[in-house]
Amino acid sequence: MLVGICELDLLIYDSNSLKEKRQVINSLIGRIKSRYNVSIAEVGEQDTWNKSIIGISVVSNNGIMIDKIVTSVINFVDNDHRVEIINKKLEIL
């Protein structure tokens, strides 16, 4: 069994309050959950109104499949005009 762990540091555009930030992040997380078979949550920067850290995990028996799924999720987030990926970390255990 292999586990893929990805952490994305996001900059949120047009967010002037925590309420606006949470609307963007909850929408993004919901869309990713419905499209991809991953576990995802906001894991950091919860009290900062224009930044967020998203944690994503994938379990599989194939490292190539994990890389493919995580890359698809990263591309999905990258194509969302409301956020920008500042930093990303990927680890397969």
Side-chain angles (χ1 to χ4, degrees):
M1 175 175 74
L2 298 172
V3 179
I5 302 168
C6 181
E7 189 176 279
L8 299 177
D9 295 347
L10 303 176
L11 177 64
I12 303 162
Y13 296 123
D14 299 329
S15 175
N16 298 312
S17 67
L18 288 175
K19 183 177 180 180
E20 290 176 358
K21 171 200 171 179
R22 289 190 180 111
Q23 288 175 342
V24 170
I25 294 302
N26 288 339
S27 168
L28 186 62
I29 287 174
R31 290 172 46 215
I32 291 170
K33 279 184 180 179
S34 69
R35 185 170 291 202
Y36 302 98
N37 188 19
V38 298
S39 295
I40 182 170
E42 184 178 16
V43 296
E45 299 285 353
Q46 281 109 346
D47 294 331
T48 307
W49 57 267
N50 64 345
K51 290 184 180 179
S52 181
I53 299 174
I54 302 293
I56 304 161
S57 65
V58 181
V59 177
S60 179
N61 60 352
N62 187 343
I64 295 170
M65 181 59 96
I66 289 174
D67 189 51
K68 182 178 177 183
I69 292 170
V70 172
T71 301
S72 295
V73 172
I74 291 171
N75 289 336
F76 182 81
V77 173
D78 204 27
N79 288 327
D80 192 319
H81 67 280
R82 301 172 296 176
V83 298
E84 177 185 346
I85 299 174
I86 299 171
N87 190 22
K88 56 187 165 195
K89 301 173 195 165
L90 174 61
E91 185 175 350
I92 299 178
L93 307 172

